[in-house]
Amino acid sequence: MAHSFTTLPVPGLADRPRFAVARSGRVTMRALGRLVAPSAALWVVLVIILVLPIMAFLAAAVSPALLGQGTEWFSLGAFSRALSGGIVVALADSLGVAIVAAVVAGAIGFALAWVMQRTDAPARGMTTGLLFALFLTPSYLIALGWERLLEPNGVLVAIGLDPAPFRSVFYGPVGVTTVLAVKGLPFAYLAISTALRGLGREYEEAVRVHGGGRVATARFVVALLAPAVWSALAIVFAESVSDFGVAATLADTAHFPVATYALYTAVQAFPVDFPLASAVSWLLMGLVVAALMLQNAALRGRRFRVLGGRSRVPRRHVLSRPARTVWSVSFALLILTTLGVPTFGAIAASLIDGLGTLSGTHRWNLGNYIRVIRSPDLGGPLLYSALLALVTATAALLLAVACARVLSTVGSSMTGRILDAVLIAAVALPGIVFAAGYIFTYNLPVFSAAGLQIYGTNTLLLLAYLATALPSTTRLLVGAVGQVQNSMAEAARVHGLSAARSALSITLPVLARPLVSAWLLTYTATLLELPVSQLLAPAGDQPISVGITTALAKYDFGGGTAMEVLAILSALAVVAVVYGGFRLVAPLGWRRLGVAR
Amino acid sequence: MSRRTVIALALAGLSAITLSACSSGSAATSVTAGGSTSKVEPLVLYAAEGWDSGFAKAFTAKTHIPVELVDESTGPLLTKIAAERNNPRWSLLWVDGDQAFASLAHQGQLLSYRTSAPLTGVGTSLAPADHSYTPTDTTVMAAVIYNAAKTSAVPSTYQDLLGAAYRGKVGMNDPAQSGPTYPFIAGVMNQLGGTSSGIARGEAYFLKLKQNGLKVFPTNGDTLHALETGQIDYGLVQSSAAIGERLKVTATATFQPTIVYLPKSTLLPSVLGISKALDPVRQAEAKQFVDYALSAEGQKIMQQGDATGDSLFWPIVPGVHPLPGMPSFPAAYQVLEPTFWGKSESQVVSWFDQNIK
């Protein structure tokens, strides 16, 4: 029997019928879909994976007894300890280096994205792979490389150079900022380049038609890319503030206190001082929320939907010979500084026997790699981590699109602003905070009593990975998702396409490349994720990052570094396969969108 | 993008997670032996020892009791245990150093168990009176490893390190990053003034050492690397790390690692503790695990697991001999009172971080 539908007004909402009920009286799935608020399901997910664990950890600062971390049900003692002289200085240090790192990474990322997308500069094809390699390189390896180069009686001294003057400069805020900017560069580049792809040349031509020169054009383009630029700055700032790796290595060696090191010592000590760690986390969050408010103020009330059905393919500028030379030298210097140093660190630790030391043969030696490849400590853990990373990247991508859609809505509601705050706060908190928060939340006796035992399972580990990945992945996509004009999808609906078909045939193609980039970034970040893996991996399963750390802790620098290098190479292989697959399988139009001619 | 699309995306994302591998812990099984069937429940072992994986497998092979291993460094393991305090999930903890165990015992988290396995005099001195944990072997802090090819001065006391011959040549680990290093510092303090004035006197000593050019590196491996590169000539590291360095590195004309022990050496035991939250079946199994660790067979497996690292310990079980290449046990040694020095750890490490590093 065919059904026809009557819309019934809801009292108080006369113009907005809520219920679609068949004449037969049955409530349909369509009705149910309209009944459920669009953000309700999303918020349920976010509460489970983000809000509850974060709030559980932050609660420890004011109510230690609530989580079995003390006897006081309410106390501000942790904050008074956190605001003592040492940690205040560390917070100021963290703020300073994070601002500089964000600006430096943002500037270099923008310049790199512009050159890659809008000019015919040589070696463009290498950039994406090199940036993924950089993203994969752990802070430890970058710091190790610099230390091996600059240490007294190190390699530079062995070849007759005296790095002492440079060492005194690098072992301090300069070095810490450099490493953090290097680590943030891939985020900045990807966030800006995905948005730059969606910017057709009609806007630049409009400026030129109205008499604007290159500077005016550049200012206009930067303004149009503001959401992506601010996203890039926000991601790098938040990642720098919450970085653990540099804090525990270079910053500590340089006696340059940063806030995350204070948090690190609080959770490394025994008895563990979770209330102090939680109080420091509150302060870190405060820094990042301030950055978020700055971002919102800069973008308030403006529209940036530039990607539509009539966007014109941008043109590549032909660089002059001097410009090409400058670019080539700059690019080489960038690669040498960002990837060359950690590569050297890896070689020194794993490929050359006793490089820079008084002992050893100083010969090339593949022994570490052969030993590691034959060891059960590599293959099984690497495959395990790869599977987890694959699931995490897929789930994070789906959720991130939903979140990015909410965030990119102009004049977003309170829901959007709260979501923004939750996501940016999550980036501000180190992974170990998340992990502890997950234990506090999902190891509560009430869950065990109810038979909901997910602590100690792969499910909880995946949820935690998702929580750590979602904020950054969302920020990466905000720029691109925010550029998509609603008119395209609306036109498709007017012409009879369903919502799902409209999404698949209109929205997906224009977002395909940003989605691929975001998926890969999440995959690579999850593969070598450490703090969450350490605390939440199920008994009997060992993620590769934990295996590497365990080897290094047993003074097996050669073996641990070899495992690290092989894991990075495996991730780069996945990057190559996915990008290669996209190039082969995706329709031509998907690949050509936004590509300058 | 429509509302339903948003909902579908969000739910699809969560479904992808929940439908993925969702392993729960091994369930209890039954083992039949000698005509009788007994219920067996898996043990969860948190361990930071080089032999833990091989040992867990050997124990399971012998007893058919499954052991789920969490093999990490001591720091993350203790962080997990602290976070699990409301609902402990671990059965056994096996790490170096007994200060943390004293703290866990004070919190009521450890099950007292007096093993029937005999211990040597050293082992007995390491076992607590309330049997809340069990030592299984010991190393010492610190071994002084020096490059005999570069220097002829050999210290015989800790005070010697304050002399001109050692200026700028001595390195040690950072207690904030190296677990074995705090017991070394506490040992020096204990030796200088015991629990009454040891901390103050120890601080004075380390300040003098700092004025004499002491260099601090993150961990054993970093200190040994500094020795190998000639940044220091004397390294104060854990005995197993020092002995392992001497075994792994081929001596050359420019690098001859040599080890001495200064009186008194502070014992750093490997310790096994049983969670008090275990049910009776798992408690019995955990006790078997402890007994196995102190058996000749168990000690042998421990010595095979990490021949150039953690296996370089001095046994505390009668009849078990250290590995070939191990030096004689230091003549002058001390045992730290774990409760006092455990409580002082945070204060001392913080002071060291602000004044010595």
Side-chain angles (χ1 to χ4, degrees):
Chain A
M1 178 173 106
H3 295 288
S4 59
F5 293 90
T6 300
T7 55
L8 302 177
V10 174
L13 290 171
D15 295 330
R16 298 181 60 182
R18 285 290 190 99
F19 292 87
V21 180
R23 287 195 184 278
S24 64
R26 284 183 294 153
V27 175
T28 63
M29 284 304 297
R30 181 187 242 176
L32 205 58
R34 286 184 180 164
L35 181 63
V36 177
S39 61
L42 185 62
W43 272 107
V44 167
V45 172
L46 292 176
V47 165
I48 290 171
I49 67 170
L50 273 177
V51 177
L52 280 180
I54 290 176
M55 295 311 298
F57 189 86
L58 294 178
V62 293
S63 183
L66 183 68
L67 299 157
Q69 302 303 319
T71 54
E72 296 158 309
W73 286 96
F74 180 79
S75 168
L76 296 177
F79 283 102
S80 65
R81 284 185 289 131
L83 291 170
S84 64
I87 297 183
V88 169
V89 170
L91 273 169
D93 289 343
S94 289
L95 179 65
V97 298
I99 289 173
V100 176
V103 170
V104 170
I108 297 177
F110 192 99
L112 208 56
W114 181 265
V115 170
M116 294 298 114
Q117 305 279 344
R118 291 289 199 266
T119 74
D120 65 341
R124 292 194 313 272
M126 297 167 56
T127 308
T128 303
L130 289 169
L131 283 170
F132 268 105
L134 181 60
F135 180 73
L136 281 163
T137 306
S139 309
Y140 148 76
L141 210 56
I142 298 175
L144 176 69
W146 282 108
E147 287 175 6
R148 286 287 185 268
L149 273 176
L150 300 176
E151 63 186 353
N153 297 355
V155 173
L156 287 181
V157 173
I159 62 174
L161 298 174
D162 181 13
F166 185 65
R167 185 191 314 132
S168 62
V169 172
F170 193 81
Y171 279 0
V174 170
V176 173
T177 307
T178 301
V179 176
L180 289 174
V182 163
K183 285 297 295 176
L185 182 58
F187 285 109
Y189 171 79
L190 284 172
I192 295 171
S193 68
T194 52
L196 193 55
R197 273 183 188 276
L199 188 66
R201 73 169 191 263
E202 62 271 22
Y203 301 97
E204 297 159 67
E205 289 175 348
V207 174
R208 302 301 293 267
V209 160
H210 286 81
R214 288 184 182 177
V215 173
T217 305
R219 281 174 54 193
F220 191 69
V221 167
V222 171
L224 284 177
L225 295 175
V229 172
W230 277 103
S231 281
L233 292 174
I235 295 175
V236 179
F237 179 85
E239 292 282 345
S240 298
V241 158
S242 64
D243 179 86
F244 235 49
V246 177
T249 52
L250 189 59
D252 185 47
T253 303
H255 306 297
F256 180 68
V258 291
T260 39
Y261 192 73
L263 201 152
Y264 168 84
T265 54
V267 297
Q268 286 287 96
F270 199 81
V272 178
D273 194 347
F274 279 122
L276 176 61
S278 176
V280 174
S281 298
W282 275 101
L283 298 174
L284 285 176
M285 244 175 35
L287 292 181
V288 178
V289 169
L292 174 66
M293 290 169 65
L294 197 62
Q295 175 187 355
N296 286 343
L299 299 176
R300 184 170 295 139
R302 294 154 70 182
R303 289 182 181 268
F304 299 93
R305 297 195 184 277
V306 297
L307 181 58
R310 296 183 182 182
S311 294
R312 299 177 69 179
V313 175
R315 278 205 199 93
R316 288 192 185 277
H317 300 283
V318 176
L319 293 179
S320 64
R321 187 180 293 242
R324 291 170 80 88
T325 304
V326 169
W327 156 250
S328 299
V329 171
S330 304
F331 191 61
L333 203 61
L334 182 70
I335 298 302
L336 194 68
T337 310
T338 57
L339 276 177
V341 171
T343 303
F344 169 75
I347 291 173
S350 64
L351 272 175
I352 299 181
D353 179 32
L355 179 66
T357 70
L358 300 170
S359 63
T361 61
H362 299 175
R363 291 192 192 132
W364 289 87
N365 186 342
L366 289 175
N368 288 314
Y369 288 86
I370 294 171
R371 175 167 56 89
V372 160
I373 288 170
R374 289 176 180 167
S375 164
D377 294 336
L378 176 67
L382 186 56
L383 185 61
Y384 172 67
S385 291
L387 287 172
L388 293 177
L390 190 149
V391 175
T392 302
T394 306
L397 191 68
L398 295 170
L399 286 169
V401 170
C403 292
R405 177 67 179 168
V406 173
L407 290 180
S408 60
T409 303
V410 173
S412 61
S413 62
M414 181 62 68
T415 301
R417 287 198 286 273
I418 293 174
L419 174 63
D420 201 12
V422 168
L423 290 177
I424 203 70
V427 180
L429 301 176
I432 197 165
V433 168
F434 267 109
Y438 266 78
I439 299 177
F440 288 152
T441 306
Y442 295 106
N443 192 42
L444 285 172
V446 62
F447 283 105
S448 300
L452 293 172
Q453 194 58 63
I454 65 168
Y455 173 59
T457 67
N458 283 313
T459 298
L460 191 73
L461 181 59
L462 282 166
L463 289 176
Y465 281 158
L466 180 61
T468 55
L470 183 61
S472 299
T473 310
T474 301
R475 289 273 153 201
L476 274 175
L477 292 175
V478 159
V481 170
Q483 287 179 321
V484 178
Q485 293 178 352
N486 293 334
S487 56
M488 293 192 295
E490 289 165 356
R493 296 301 303 278
V494 162
H495 285 83
L497 261 63
S498 65
R501 280 204 65 191
S502 171
L504 286 173
S505 59
I506 303 296
T507 311
L508 179 61
V510 300
L511 291 179
R513 193 178 283 269
L515 292 177
V516 168
S517 297
W519 189 94
L520 284 171
L521 207 68
T522 308
Y523 174 88
T524 51
T526 305
L527 183 74
L528 291 173
E529 196 286 333
L530 181 60
V532 169
S533 304
Q534 279 184 317
L535 293 195
L536 297 180
D541 291 319
Q542 188 172 72
I544 187 65
S545 56
V546 175
I548 292 167
T549 309
T550 304
L552 294 171
K554 293 173 184 173
Y555 338 126
D556 184 10
F557 287 127
T561 307
M563 288 170 71
E564 189 105 61
V565 169
L566 289 171
I568 291 172
L569 290 176
S570 78
L572 288 175
V574 170
V575 170
V577 165
V578 170
Y579 271 126
F582 180 74
R583 187 177 280 240
L584 286 172
V585 172
L588 185 61
W590 293 28
R591 288 180 275 127
R592 292 175 67 176
L593 185 70
V595 176
R597 307 265 174 82
Chain B
M1 196 181 297
S2 72
R3 288 178 289 179
R4 275 190 289 173
T5 306
V6 171
I7 294 168
L9 281 173
L11 293 179
L14 191 59
S15 299
I17 292 285
T18 54
L19 287 174
S20 65
C22 180
S23 66
S24 54
S26 305
T29 56
S30 296
V31 173
T32 303
S36 65
T37 301
S38 59
K39 189 179 172 188
V40 169
E41 293 181 9
L43 293 173
V44 178
L45 171 64
Y46 286 7
E49 305 290 355
W51 59 71
D52 47 33
S53 178
F55 188 95
K57 289 174 186 164
F59 176 75
T60 299
K62 186 174 180 70
T63 63
H64 304 290
I65 298 171
V67 176
E68 296 169 358
L69 173 64
V70 179
D71 178 15
E72 298 197 20
S73 303
T74 305
L77 291 176
L78 295 177
T79 303
K80 264 175 86 80
I81 287 175
E84 290 176 9
R85 187 144 174 211
N86 270 344
N87 188 13
R89 305 302 306 284
W90 57 284
S91 308
L92 293 145
L93 174 66
W94 201 355
V95 300
D96 286 351
D98 52 1
Q99 281 85 29
F101 288 85
S103 181
L104 288 171
H106 179 70
Q107 294 169 10
Q109 294 201 57
L110 296 181
L111 179 74
S112 290
Y113 172 58
R114 183 170 189 167
T115 176
S116 57
L119 297 175
T120 62
V122 171
T124 304
S125 67
L126 288 168
D130 62 0
H131 308 289
S132 54
Y133 53 86
T134 307
T136 60
D137 60 270
T138 191
T139 57
V140 303
M141 280 296 290
V144 180
I145 182 169
Y146 66 95
N147 183 3
K150 274 191 73 181
T151 180
S152 56
V154 181
S156 56
T157 67
Y158 282 112
Q159 297 299 325
D160 287 348
L161 297 178
L162 303 178
Y166 304 93
R167 179 160 294 137
K169 298 181 181 179
V170 179
M172 64 175 285
N173 304 339
D174 177 4
Q177 299 200 54
S178 166
T181 303
Y182 169 68
F184 161 60
I185 298 172
V188 171
M189 291 178 166
N190 190 59
Q191 191 169 332
L192 291 174
T195 57
S196 57
S197 60
I199 292 180
R201 293 187 183 187
E203 288 175 356
Y205 171 79
F206 280 102
L207 281 171
K208 288 180 190 169
L209 201 56
K210 172 72 176 174
Q211 286 162 8
N212 205 33
L214 174 73
K215 296 181 176 128
V216 179
F217 304 94
T219 63
N220 283 326
D222 299 290
T223 303
L224 289 171
H225 175 76
L227 185 74
E228 290 172 356
T229 56
Q231 295 179 60
I232 56 174
D233 293 339
Y234 303 86
L236 302 168
V237 297
Q238 189 175 3
S239 60
S240 53
I243 298 167
E245 173 78 357
R246 206 180 59 190
L247 291 174
K248 282 185 291 192
V249 173
T250 306
T252 65
T254 54
F255 188 71
Q256 294 168 8
T258 311
I259 302 172
V260 293
Y261 297 92
L262 304 180
K264 298 176 181 177
S265 295
T266 302
L267 297 190
L268 182 65
S270 293
V271 180
L272 254 178
I274 303 174
S275 170
K276 201 169 187 178
L278 295 180
D279 55 65
V281 171
R282 284 192 169 103
Q283 281 188 15
E285 293 171 354
K287 291 173 184 174
Q288 287 187 59
F289 190 96
V290 174
D291 291 339
Y292 186 64
L294 294 176
S295 67
E297 183 180 334
Q299 292 278 305
K300 188 177 177 184
I301 293 168
M302 288 160 60
Q303 287 177 320
Q304 291 170 344
D306 188 10
T308 57
D310 288 343
S311 294
L312 296 169
F313 57 80
W314 283 282
I316 56 173
V317 176
V320 179
H321 302 288
L323 286 175
M326 287 284 292
S328 302
F329 190 73
Y333 65 88
Q334 62 176 339
V335 175
L336 288 180
E337 199 287 305
T339 303
F340 174 83
W341 292 106
K343 284 180 185 171
S344 306
E345 180 170 357
S346 180
Q347 167 198 345
V348 169
V349 171
S350 180
W351 172 87
F352 191 96
D353 190 61
Q354 289 164 15
N355 295 279
I356 304 298
K357 275 173 61 176

